[in-house]
Amino acid sequence: MTISLLDMGLYSIALLILFLTPGPVWLALLARSVSGGFQAAWPLALGVSVGDVVWPLLAILGVSWIVSEFDPFLTVLRWVACVVFLFMGWQVIRSASKAITSDSRLTRPGMWPGFVAGVVAILGNPKAILFYMGVLPGFFDLSVVTTTDISVIVALSVIVPLIGNLTFAFFIDRARRVLRSPDALRRTNLVAGWALICVGLVIPFT
């Protein structure tokens, strides 16, 4: 194995920061946790893990080469992510008083719909795309990684966000009665919306 414990530790911290940044997965977990509790949210967290396997593998197996050879590619991704976050934030603020459970695409009952919602949320998540395609190559020398290295990187990419997502869903489940209050829901949506906008404004300059 060529990667060190320090490399793995720093990468795990970066993954934690990625998890703590509001994005589509947070909104999806919030929607399902409020509508159906932890029972409805954990399949979504597992679905997100699929993307957390796919994206680092793509980065390791070749997309990082595209980023290194064509600098504008990452710049375009950053601006696309910026626009997506701004749009998402505006949408959340605009519908701040609207019940989260009204989005049937996210709250459809059942394990399979929850799992699929998780896969869609992570595969279309610009935050995850930017991180794995643009940031992951900076942590490891991908030209010398071994099969064991790749397995460790992918495992970390799955385990850290999965623990975070399950913990987030658990606490939202416990707070769901409060979040069902119209005033509390509006405040939560406004905070989430402005957070998304702030993230969108910061992305182009990072």
Side-chain angles (χ1 to χ4, degrees), residues 22-24 26-32 34 85-103 106 168 172 178-198:
W26 268 40
L27 297 179
L29 281 169
L30 182 61
R32 289 193 69 85
V34 170
F85 273 105
L86 291 175
F87 177 74
M88 282 167 38
W90 174 74
Q91 286 282 76
V92 172
I93 291 171
R94 193 183 69 159
S95 58
S97 300
K98 185 179 179 182
I100 256 174
T101 55
S102 62
D103 189 347
L106 292 179
F168 179 70
I172 294 300
V178 176
L179 290 173
R180 286 184 186 275
S181 161
D183 289 339
L185 176 64
R186 184 173 184 277
R187 285 195 297 270
T188 300
N189 281 336
L190 286 174
V191 170
W194 283 111
L196 288 168
I197 287 175
C198 288

Side-chain angles (χ1 to χ4, degrees), residues 2-205:
T2 65
I3 59 178
S4 67
L5 289 176
L6 178 61
D7 293 332
M8 290 186 280
L10 291 174
Y11 182 60
S12 296
I13 292 172
L15 287 167
L16 180 60
I17 294 172
L18 175 70
F19 161 74
L20 292 174
T21 307
V25 173
W26 268 40
L27 297 179
L29 281 169
L30 182 61
R32 289 193 69 85
S33 297
V34 170
S35 65
F38 185 78
Q39 181 68 24
W42 70 261
L44 185 141
L46 290 183
V48 170
S49 296
V50 172
D52 287 331
V53 171
V54 171
W55 287 125
L57 278 178
L58 285 177
I60 293 169
L61 298 178
V63 177
S64 59
W65 177 83
I66 298 177
V67 174
S68 65
E69 293 295 322
F70 303 98
D71 290 336
F73 181 73
L74 182 55
T75 301
V76 170
L77 280 181
R78 282 193 179 127
W79 283 106
V80 169
C82 170
V83 172
V84 170
F85 273 105
L86 291 175
F87 177 74
M88 282 167 38
W90 174 74
Q91 286 282 76
V92 172
I93 291 171
R94 193 183 69 159
S95 58
S97 300
K98 185 179 179 182
I100 256 174
T101 55
S102 62
D103 189 347
S104 60
R105 294 170 300 174
L106 292 179
T107 59
R108 188 176 294 116
M111 291 178 57
W112 180 247
F115 181 82
V116 171
V119 174
V120 171
I122 189 65
L123 291 183
N125 185 353
K127 181 182 70 171
I129 296 169
L130 282 172
F131 179 83
Y132 289 119
M133 303 306 172
V135 178
L136 185 152
F139 283 90
F140 310 104
D141 184 352
L142 300 183
S143 64
V144 298
V145 291
T146 65
T147 302
T148 302
D149 295 330
I150 294 173
S151 299
V152 170
I153 293 170
V154 172
L156 290 173
S157 301
V158 171
I159 292 170
V160 174
L162 179 60
I163 292 174
N165 288 332
L166 290 175
T167 302
F168 179 70
F170 176 80
F171 282 108
I172 294 300
D173 176 47
R174 292 297 176 264
R176 59 191 299 211
R177 290 187 180 182
V178 176
L179 290 173
R180 286 184 186 275
S181 161
D183 289 339
L185 176 64
R186 184 173 184 277
R187 285 195 297 270
T188 300
N189 281 336
L190 286 174
V191 170
W194 283 111
L196 288 168
I197 287 175
C198 288
V199 172
L201 292 174
V202 167
I203 283 176
F205 307 102

